[in-house]
Amino acid sequence: MNPTPADRPAFRPEPPDLLAGRGIALGVSGSIAAYKALALTSGLVQAGARVDVILTQAATELLRPLAFQALTHRPVVGDLWAPGSELAMDHLAIAQRAELLLVAPATADRLSRLALGLAGDALDTTALASTAPLVLAPAMEPNMWAHPAIQAHVASLTARGAHFVGPWEGRLASGKLGLGRMAEPETILDHLRWLLARQGDLAGRSILITAGPTREPLDPLRFLSNRSTGSMGFALARVARDRGARVTLIHGPVAQDAPVGVATVPVERALDMQAAVLDLAPACDALIMSAAVADYRPAAPSERKIKKQPGDLRLELSRNPDILGSLAEALAEGSGPPPYRVGFAAETEDLETNGRAKLQRKGLDLVVANRVPASFGAGEHEVLLLTPDASEALQGASKLAVAAAILDRVSQALGASPGTGTDVSVPRSERA
Ligand code: C5P
């Protein structure tokens, strides 16, 4: 069958942020880390969430409710007992409309109160009255965090399904180093997305993604590599996670953090990436190879630093294996259905012809042909999605938008997700 030619390039918008339109109640308790709650609030608002902020009495000693009100454009519960504070009295309505209850920072006192189910202030009562998942970002001195009393409360909250983000190791306000820093707002936001991400057309699917460059050592200090940032693979991981997939990301050295909830396998050389892919691919539903794998590696990497010599130095390079090619052979020998396989092709011209040749040569189900240098590292892309029987052209699309289009194809090919049709809300066992 002749493939359907690509129509005029379609503009593909970015997928919406999972936090957009969601009701988030943010409880702020009285740790000096409360200053980060402002950045968190701002991040939530920018992501499109409806944020109801509840400050504890101690938090109002550190930050004024007005600061949060200015960010959320909504009333803030600052003092439950303030005279005439009719809005404050309405805080139970917050418990009802919250889809997630986040406490950040959560002090030792607040964790203890929540674990015991105390009902002494607006945040306590909101937590008791809400059936929404509870997310806690602790912040306290390392000795307090390590104390058996606090650890017992952490265990009891965890057993009731509360989600902890952090604390992290690092410098604390006291100047000490240790475990007790509040997680950074960006990580907390992404944790919330992950909790909201269980529904979606890829729920129950397992997707393996490769990303970034490989690094081929010359000696202990030097290597050959390329300029890949890994952004495409990380965008794919985020969108697949947001659509409910279980995602594993095999990545070369990159300067970005994986989305929360995505399992990572860091590798260096093409040979390491190949071993990881061959190990994990047979058990996944789809493999998306967005990594820029080095075609060659130094034939004989030196165990010692190569010293400068007078004159030129010649390097001998060996061909790296083609990972997708070797996978086709490995899968042919194995049992079970092969994963849906997606490869990338960076082309300067003849995207369709060259992409189709790659589709066949590498035994792929989908090739994402990118026009370079137009797409290289830029925020806008010109890509062709090539399957054996169709072509789809996208233009002006961001990496997240391209990722969404690729995952549409994957999702269609995999058919009805084993997760759809069942209860897609956050499982009860995960509610505190
Ligand atoms: O052959 P070429 O490098 O143009 O193909 C690119 C596609 O093949 C990408 O999906 C890339 O991740 C994959 N690849 C591979 N093993 C290699 C080189 C590229 O699987 N050694």
Side-chain angles (χ1 to χ4, degrees), residues 48-414:
R50 268 179 297 108
V51 192
D52 287 313
V53 178
I54 305 171
L55 296 174
T56 66
Q57 178 64 42
T60 61
E61 305 287 339
L62 295 162
L63 296 167
R64 296 189 59 194
L66 186 61
F68 290 92
Q69 204 170 329
L71 290 169
T72 61
H73 307 284
R74 296 167 71 83
V76 167
V77 180
D79 181 356
L80 186 54
W81 313 118
S85 171
E86 159 198 338
L87 291 163
M89 301 309 284
D90 201 25
H91 65 278
L92 288 179
I94 296 178
Q96 255 130 49
R97 62 176 174 256
E99 292 171 77
L100 286 176
L101 171 59
L102 166 65
V103 182
T107 59
D109 179 64
R110 190 54 45 174
L111 277 188
S112 308
R113 303 181 68 86
L114 292 169
L116 294 172
L118 299 188
D121 65 12
L123 182 52
D124 279 347
T125 45
T126 303
L128 281 177
S130 167
T131 54
L134 176 63
V135 185
L136 300 160
M140 65 193 77
E141 283 296 302
N143 287 349
M144 293 168 87
W145 175 251
H147 194 285
I150 296 300
Q151 285 304 308
H153 288 323
V154 170
S156 126
L157 284 160
T158 306
R160 274 153 45 201
H163 301 267
F164 280 84
V165 191
W168 287 0
E169 287 266 353
R171 190 181 180 284
L172 295 134
S174 64
K176 279 194 213 142
L177 291 175
L179 188 62
R181 269 176 78 83
M182 184 173 118
E184 288 304 319
E186 263 315 309
T187 303
I188 298 173
L189 289 180
D190 208 38
H191 204 98
L192 302 186
R193 290 190 189 97
W194 179 45
L195 287 176
L196 293 168
R198 291 159 196 262
Q199 38 210 321
D201 57 339
L202 293 170
R205 296 298 191 186
S206 115
I207 300 198
L208 183 61
I209 298 168
T210 66
T214 62
R215 222 179 234 187
E216 311 297 331
L218 268 165
D219 70 13
L221 303 180
R222 303 172 178 109
F223 52 81
L224 299 181
S225 191
N226 60 61
R227 290 185 194 278
S228 165
T229 59
S231 301
M232 187 66 234
F234 279 65
L236 280 159
R238 165 155 178 190
V239 178
R241 179 215 55 188
D242 283 357
R243 287 163 68 160
R246 265 177 290 118
V247 182
T248 304
L249 185 61
I250 301 174
H251 66 83
V254 288
Q256 45 189 319
D257 293 326
V260 173
V262 167
T264 53
V265 182
V267 295
E268 292 242 332
R269 304 171 310 156
L271 290 173
D272 305 326
M273 186 171 276
Q274 182 190 35
V277 170
L278 291 179
D279 182 31
L280 297 172
C284 71
D285 295 307
L287 165 68
I288 309 180
M289 278 287 303
S290 72
V293 186
D295 292 323
Y296 296 93
R297 64 179 183 278
S302 167
E303 284 187 4
R304 297 177 180 196
K305 185 180 170 195
I306 300 172
K307 295 271 189 217
K308 263 199 294 284
Q309 309 280 353
D312 295 338
L313 171 72
R314 288 196 202 292
L315 286 179
E316 199 185 331
L317 301 179
S318 303
R319 249 324 267 271
N320 270 330
D322 188 289
I323 300 178
L324 280 169
S326 62
L327 179 72
E329 286 163 34
L331 291 171
E333 289 162 15
S335 56
Y340 185 81
R341 274 162 287 162
V342 183
F344 280 70
E347 306 289 345
T348 46
E349 67 273 304
D350 294 335
L351 259 69
E352 173 116 28
T353 317
N354 294 330
R356 289 209 168 278
K358 202 159 288 184
L359 195 65
Q360 282 214 317
R361 194 170 65 247
K362 299 203 180 205
L364 300 174
D365 300 295
L366 171 64
V367 159
V368 183
N370 277 286
R371 187 179 297 284
V372 286
S375 296
F376 213 69
E380 302 219 323
H381 295 260
E382 187 184 335
V383 299
L384 270 184
L385 301 188
L386 302 170
T387 54
D389 50 15
S391 306
E392 183 187 353
L394 303 175
Q395 204 158 28
S398 71
K399 285 197 165 71
L400 286 173
V402 173
I406 295 168
L407 289 162
D408 282 353
R409 293 295 165 133
V410 172
S411 172
Q412 275 161 20
L414 295 179

